Amino acid sequence: MTDFSKAWTIARRDLSGRFVGLRLLIVCLFLGVATLAAIGSLTSAITDELANRGQIILGGDLEVAVSQREVTPQERESLNAAGELSETLRMQAMARLPDGSDTQLVELKGIDARYPLYGDFTLQDGATAPPLDADQIYITPALVNRLSLNIGDTIEFGETAFTITGIIEDEPDRLSEGLSLGPVAITSLEGLRSTGLIQPGSMFQSKYRLKLPAAIDPSELGKQLEAQYKNAAWEVKTRDNGAPSTRRFIERMGQFLTLVGLASLVIAGIGVGNGVASYLRGKQSAIATLKILGADSAMIFRIYMFQILAVALIAITAGLIVGAFAPLIIIAVAGDALPIKPEFALYPLPLVVSAAYGLLITVIFALPPLSRAKLVPAAGLFRGDIRSWKEMDRPTWLAVILAIAAIVAIAIGSSREPLFSLAFIGAALGILTLLSLLGAGIGWLASKLPRPKQPLLRLALTNLHRPGAQTGQLVVALGLGLTLFATLAAIQTSLTNEIRLSVPREAPNFFVLDIPVERANEFTERVNAADPDANINIVPTLRGTITEYGGQRVSELDEIPEGAWVLRGDRGLTYSANLPEGSEIAAGTWWPENYDGPPLVSVDAEQAAALGLDVGDSLSISLLGVEIQAKVASLRTINWRNFGFNYVLVFPPNVLASTPHNVAATIQLDEAKEDGLLGSLPSEFPSISMVKVKEIASQIGDILDQMATAIASAASIAIFSGIAVLIGAIAASRQSRIYDSVILKLLGATRAQILSAQAIEYAVLALILSAVALGLGLLAGWFVITQIFEFTWQPDWMTVMVTLAIGAVLTLGIGLLGSVPVLSAKPARALREL
C-alpha cells in the first residue's frame, strides 16, 4: 500500500490541472461514453414508457382482435365472463363534405360507452370526451385542416351524416392501433354501423378489450381463450406488449445504434492510445529522472496509470452526465418523431454499461504505450531514442485480451440478438485489423521501393517508413474516417432511394378498397367513363390467419421463426385462376384455370423459406372463424415494388370464391383526372376507401428519413472520434516531425518544401485509403441496408464518391493543419530540447 500511496502522490503532483497532453484522451472518451449513454438512456426510456403505460396503450389488460367479423354470441359470453369488456370497430373509410366538393381517406373508429377502460379520451378544450350519439363524431386536427372543418359542421361517411362535436386531443390507445393511412375520426358503435359500411366481406377489425381483476394473469387468460377458440383467428395481446411492432422496432434500432456507439468508442480508443503515447513521449525526461532516482518499472507504471485512470474517470463521468440528460434534449427537439414521449428518468443499467465500456477501452488502448514506457532504459529516454521503446510484455498482452473478452461478453450479454452483436463486433475488429495490416504493409512497401531522385518525393516516401513513423496510426485514423464517410453516404442515399426509385413510373394512382363484389363491373365502367385510357386491376380481397403450417400449430409455437412476419396476426388473402401479375413461379406448378379439386395454395417463396415450407406441405388458415387446410402447390417470387396488389397466399377460386368478401382495385390514369375521380367515386360507392399511392410513399419516406437521421446522428460521433484519432496520430509523431523539420531547415529547406513533402505523404495515404474505404464503406452500408433493415441496396454512386472525396480533402486538410506547429518550431530552441 505504501508503494501505491507514493505512486498516487507523485501522479497527483505531476498531473497538470489543465490536463496538458491528455486532452485528446478526455475528448475521445467523452464522445464515446456520452453517445452510448444517450442511446441506452433514450431506448430504456421509450421501452419503459411502453411497459409502464401498457394498459393505456392497449386499452385494457387483454385485447382480442378479429378481422372482417364481430365475435359470436358464445365468444362474447366468454369474454364478458372474464372481466369488464369494451368493444371497438376500426376500418378505413372515405369522409365526404355534404356538397361532395372534397373527400379524405380516414381511419373511422366506433367505440362503446365504456371506452377507454384505461387512460383518458380528451378533447382540445381539455374536457374528457363524453359518450357520443349515433349522429355525432369527433375528429383529429389533421382532418380539420384537410377539409377545413370546425365544430358543428357536418361530415358524411357511407349513408350517414355526422355532426362534429369535438376535436380530439388524445386518443389513449392510438399507438396500439398501428400505422394509419389517414386522419382519425371517432364515433359510437351505433354510428359506425349506421353508415352501412360494415357488410359481409368488408375490411374492418373488431377489438375487444378486457379490464381484469388483479388476481387474473392476462397472459394465462389469453392462452386459455386461444386454446378454447383455436380456429377463431383471434389475435391476442396483453398489457405487457400492447404495441409489439413499435417495441420490436425501438429495441432493434436501439441495439443497432448502441453497436454504432460502441464502434465509435472503439475508434475513440485508438485516439486514447495515441494520446497516451504522445503524453508519455512528452514525459520522457520525467520518467528518466524517476528511474535515475530509483523508481522501478512497476512504480513508473503505477504513477502514469493512476494519472490516466484519473483523467479517464473524469471524462467518463462527464460523458455519463451528458448521456443521462440527453433524452431531455432529444425529447424536446424531436419528440414528435418518437413513437411515444417518455417521461425523464435516470436509467442505471445503460449508464453502468457505458461506464464499463469506457473503462475497458481505456485499459485496452492505454496499457500498450504504458507497458512500452516502463520498459525503456533511462539512457534511452534521455537520448529520446524512440527505437528504445520495446514491445509489450506478456502480462500486458493478457490484460488487453481479457479486457477485449469482457467487452464482447457485455455486448453479447446485453443484446436481444447475440449473434448479430457478435457479427457486428467481429466486423468492426476485422476492419481495424485490416487497416492495421494495411498500415504495416504500406510502411514495408515504402521501405522497399526505389528512392526517387526528386528530393520532396524522396522525403515523403521516407516519412512513411522511417523510425518512429506513425504510418500505422495514420492509416487507421484516415481509413476509419473515410470508411465512415462512405458508409453514411451509402446508407443515406440508399434509404432515400428506397422510396424515390421504388415507385415505378407505371405505378397506379390509387388503391381502392372495399368495392362490393356485385358492383365490380359497375365500378370499372364508372372509372372508364372518367378516363377511357385508365388501367384497372380488380382482385378479390379477404383476411385470414395462418393456424398451421407443415404440421406445426401456430398456437403451440414458443416464438415466431425469424423473418416469418406472415404469422403475426391476420394477413391479406386472395384467389386467382391465373398467376398474379408481378409473380414468378419459383417451385411447383400453377393450377389449371378451371381447377375444382382439393384446396391448394401458392405461397411467397421468402415466407416459405422462413417457415420451412416446401411444395406438398400443408398450410391451414382461419377465415371468418372457419379453418381451411390446403396443400402448397407452388412457391412464388413476388415483385413487391410494383405497387400492385401482392399477396403472400393465393388460392384457387373454388376455395374462397363462395366466402363473403369484397374486391379491391388499382387504378392507373392521367394524373390530371385524379381529383375528379376522388370527388365522384366515394359518392357513388359509399363503402370504398381510396388511397393515393403518393401519400403512402410520402409516409414511408418520412419514416425512412427519421431512420437515416438517427443513424447519421449516432455515426457522426464516430466521425468526430475518427477526426480526434487523426489529430492524436499527428500529435504522437510531432516530436519526430519537429526533429526532422529542424534538421531540414538547417540544411536549407524552406517551410513550403517541408509542408509539400508532408502534403505528398498525406495525399498518397488518402488516395490509397480512399479506394479501401470505398470498398469497406459500401460493404458496411450494404450490410446495414439489406441485412438489418431488409431493404434494397440502391445507393447513389455519385453522391457516395463526392462524399468520399470531400472526406479525403477534409482529412488531408486536418493533417496539414497539424503540421503548422512543426513548421513553427525554432531550430535553436528545438535543438536544445532534443
Side-chain angles (χ1 to χ4, degrees):
M1 291 301 297
T2 303
D3 288 342
F4 280 96
S5 177
K6 289 179 180 177
W8 170 241
T9 300
I10 297 172
R12 190 179 68 251
R13 291 175 178 174
D14 183 55
L15 188 62
S16 168
R18 294 182 298 164
F19 304 114
V20 176
L22 290 173
R23 293 170 186 165
L24 180 63
L25 182 149
I26 294 174
V27 170
C28 289
L29 277 180
F30 170 79
L31 286 174
V33 172
T35 302
L36 277 174
I39 293 170
S41 296
L42 182 61
T43 302
S44 296
I46 295 175
T47 53
D48 276 17
E49 191 73 10
L50 290 173
N52 295 336
R53 293 176 56 189
Q55 291 174 317
I56 297 174
I57 291 170
L58 184 64
D61 296 303
L62 182 141
E63 176 189 273
V64 172
V66 61
S67 293
Q68 290 190 281
R69 70 178 183 92
E70 298 183 55
V71 293
T72 64
Q74 181 184 357
E75 292 170 338
R76 186 183 293 274
E77 184 178 347
S78 297
L79 293 173
N80 269 319
E84 185 180 351
L85 180 65
S86 174
E87 177 184 359
T88 66
L89 297 176
R90 174 175 175 255
M91 69 185 308
Q92 303 294 330
M94 296 300 293
R96 305 187 309 275
L97 295 181
D99 59 4
S101 60
D102 205 352
T103 59
Q104 174 64 39
L105 178 68
V106 167
E107 181 180 305
L108 182 61
K109 182 174 179 178
I111 60 175
D112 63 9
R114 292 175 178 169
Y115 174 89
L117 294 176
Y118 292 98
D120 296 314
F121 180 28
T122 58
L123 304 177
Q124 275 193 342
D125 60 7
T128 299
L132 290 157
D133 293 333
D135 61 348
Q136 295 178 325
I137 197 166
Y138 299 131
I139 63 174
T140 56
L143 187 55
V144 170
N145 296 332
R146 175 63 182 80
L147 295 181
S148 300
L149 297 169
N150 211 332
I151 294 175
D153 290 347
T154 300
I155 188 172
E156 296 179 353
F157 288 92
E159 301 170 359
T160 304
F162 294 93
T163 300
I164 300 170
T165 56
I167 310 300
I168 299 170
E169 174 67 24
D170 183 30
E171 180 189 0
D173 58 341
R174 177 72 259 154
L175 192 61
S176 68
E177 298 286 17
L179 180 67
S180 173
L181 296 178
V184 175
I186 297 179
T187 184
S188 63
L189 286 176
E190 295 74 17
L192 193 150
R193 291 184 179 121
S194 72
T195 62
L197 299 177
I198 302 293
Q199 299 290 337
S202 297
M203 303 297 288
F204 69 96
Q205 189 176 46
S206 307
K207 290 189 175 182
Y208 302 86
R209 279 77 176 262
L210 285 170
K211 186 175 185 178
L212 302 175
I216 296 180
D217 181 4
S219 298
E220 289 300 320
L221 176 61
K223 291 177 182 177
Q224 293 173 14
L225 290 172
E226 284 184 308
Q228 183 178 355
Y229 299 101
K230 62 181 180 180
N231 296 328
W234 283 3
E235 183 181 358
V236 178
K237 296 179 184 176
T238 67
R239 64 192 179 205
D240 296 328
N241 198 15
S245 298
T246 301
R247 178 182 289 273
R248 282 195 302 271
F249 175 78
I250 292 298
E251 288 178 348
R252 186 150 195 177
M253 194 70 180
Q255 177 187 340
F256 171 70
L257 293 178
T258 297
L259 291 172
V260 171
L262 180 56
S264 303
L265 190 56
V266 171
I267 294 170
I270 301 171
V272 169
N274 289 337
V276 170
S278 178
Y279 176 71
L280 292 175
R281 290 189 191 283
K283 291 289 185 178
Q284 284 187 149
S285 298
I287 296 173
T289 301
L290 288 170
K291 286 195 172 188
I292 293 296
L293 295 175
D296 58 10
S297 296
M299 178 61 75
I300 298 297
F301 179 84
R302 293 189 197 107
I303 291 171
Y304 290 100
M305 191 65 188
F306 279 146
Q307 288 187 355
I308 291 164
L309 285 177
V311 174
L313 287 174
I314 293 172
I316 290 171
T317 302
L320 292 177
I321 293 172
V322 171
F325 288 93
L328 274 177
I329 301 172
I330 296 172
I331 293 167
V333 174
D336 293 338
L338 299 174
I340 187 171
K341 282 191 176 182
E343 296 293 330
F344 173 74
L346 293 177
Y347 296 91
L349 183 58
L351 299 181
V352 170
V353 170
S354 301
Y357 279 140
L359 284 173
L360 290 169
I361 288 294
T362 302
V363 169
I364 291 170
F365 289 97
L367 279 181
L370 275 170
S371 175
R372 296 187 184 102
K374 74 178 183 180
L375 297 175
V376 180
L381 289 168
F382 276 123
R383 290 196 305 269
D385 185 3
I386 55 176
R387 289 172 293 188
S388 305
W389 290 66
K390 301 177 181 179
E391 295 302 317
M392 294 188 297
D393 54 11
R394 185 173 298 177
T396 303
W397 274 112
L398 181 60
V400 169
I401 291 171
L402 289 175
I404 292 173
I407 284 181
V408 174
I410 294 173
I412 293 175
S414 60
S415 171
R416 59 188 294 269
E417 295 183 25
L419 290 179
F420 170 72
S421 297
L422 188 61
F424 190 98
I425 292 172
L429 292 176
I431 290 175
L432 288 175
T433 303
L434 176 62
L435 291 174
S436 298
L437 292 175
L438 180 62
I442 290 174
W444 177 84
L445 182 62
S447 68
K448 300 300 180 183
L449 289 174
R451 294 181 180 276
K453 294 181 180 180
Q454 169 58 245
L456 291 181
L457 293 177
R458 185 165 65 249
L459 181 59
L461 186 64
T462 304
N463 281 341
L464 294 173
H465 66 84
R466 60 178 171 74
Q470 296 293 310
T471 302
Q473 289 89 333
L474 286 171
V475 166
V476 172
L478 281 168
L480 287 173
L482 294 176
T483 298
L484 287 168
F485 275 113
T487 302
L488 278 180
I491 292 174
Q492 188 86 31
T493 57
S494 194
L495 286 175
T496 302
N497 289 338
E498 181 69 20
I499 291 299
R500 187 175 64 83
L501 299 181
S502 294
V503 180
R505 292 183 180 179
E506 303 302 317
N509 303 72
F510 292 104
F511 293 134
V512 186
L513 309 176
D514 277 334
I515 306 169
V517 66
E518 67 276 6
R519 299 186 66 188
N521 291 335
E522 182 185 349
F523 178 86
T524 302
E525 292 172 359
R526 179 64 189 84
V527 174
N528 283 329
D531 185 356
D533 297 325
N535 184 8
I536 309 167
N537 180 33
I538 293 182
V539 296
T541 178
L542 306 93
R543 296 194 72 82
T545 304
I546 296 177
T547 56
E548 173 270 333
Y549 63 93
Q552 172 65 59
R553 300 294 303 184
V554 175
S555 60
E556 297 174 359
L557 288 171
D558 293 329
E559 62 178 353
I560 291 175
E562 179 68 24
W565 49 264
V566 72
L567 298 182
R568 300 186 188 278
D570 61 307
R571 294 294 161 189
L573 313 172
T574 192
Y575 60 83
S576 176
N578 301 308
L579 181 67
E581 188 177 331
S583 294
E584 294 181 3
I585 297 294
T589 57
W590 195 257
W591 42 79
E593 189 171 347
N594 297 318
Y595 179 78
D596 194 26
L600 299 176
V601 63
S602 178
V603 185
D604 168 45
E606 289 186 2
Q607 285 301 294
L611 296 172
L613 278 177
D614 205 346
V615 174
D617 290 340
S618 65
L619 185 142
S620 301
I621 61 164
S622 179
L623 181 63
L624 300 179
V626 178
E627 185 170 81
I628 301 172
Q629 186 177 60
K631 184 175 74 172
V632 177
S634 64
L635 306 180
R636 290 169 295 118
T637 301
I638 301 175
N639 176 16
W640 295 100
R641 300 180 178 278
N642 63 359
F643 271 72
F645 285 114
N646 298 300
Y647 290 86
V648 173
L649 305 178
V650 180
F651 294 83
N654 70 309
V655 178
L656 302 181
S658 60
T659 304
H661 66 280
N662 286 333
V663 297
T666 59
I667 303 176
Q668 183 182 344
L669 77 167
D670 185 350
E671 193 169 332
K673 299 180 180 179
E674 280 185 359
D675 291 341
L677 205 61
L678 191 59
S680 61
L681 282 181
S683 300
E684 299 181 37
F685 299 86
S687 65
I688 67 171
S689 300
M690 298 182 69
V691 184
K692 273 190 174 184
V693 171
K694 287 183 179 179
E695 291 181 357
I696 297 177
S698 177
Q699 284 192 39
I700 299 174
D702 290 342
I703 294 173
L704 294 180
D705 285 343
Q706 292 170 9
M707 289 171 58
T709 300
I711 293 170
S713 299
S716 63
I717 303 299
I719 290 178
F720 288 132
S721 299
I723 292 173
V725 170
L726 177 61
I727 295 171
I730 294 169
S733 64
R734 182 171 299 167
Q735 187 176 5
S736 299
R737 297 273 185 182
I738 290 175
Y739 180 87
D740 293 343
S741 174
V742 167
I743 298 300
L744 289 171
K745 284 181 180 180
L746 292 174
L747 295 175
T750 64
R751 290 188 177 188
Q753 289 174 322
I754 297 172
L755 187 62
S756 298
Q758 293 188 14
I760 294 171
E761 176 190 352
Y762 289 132
V764 169
L765 291 177
L767 286 173
I768 295 173
L769 292 171
S770 292
V772 174
L774 180 62
L776 292 176
L778 291 177
L779 181 62
W782 171 86
F783 180 81
V784 171
I785 292 295
T786 63
Q787 303 303 306
I788 297 178
F789 298 121
E790 298 180 357
F791 294 148
T792 301
W793 174 240
Q794 43 189 353
D796 186 325
W797 299 103
M798 181 58 68
T799 301
V800 172
M801 298 297 290
V802 170
T803 303
L804 187 60
I806 293 173
V809 172
L810 178 62
T811 52
L812 180 62
I814 292 172
L816 293 178
L817 284 175
S819 302
V820 173
V822 174
L823 298 176
S824 302
K826 302 296 183 182
R829 181 179 177 183
L831 288 173
R832 283 196 303 269
E833 295 178 351
L834 290 174

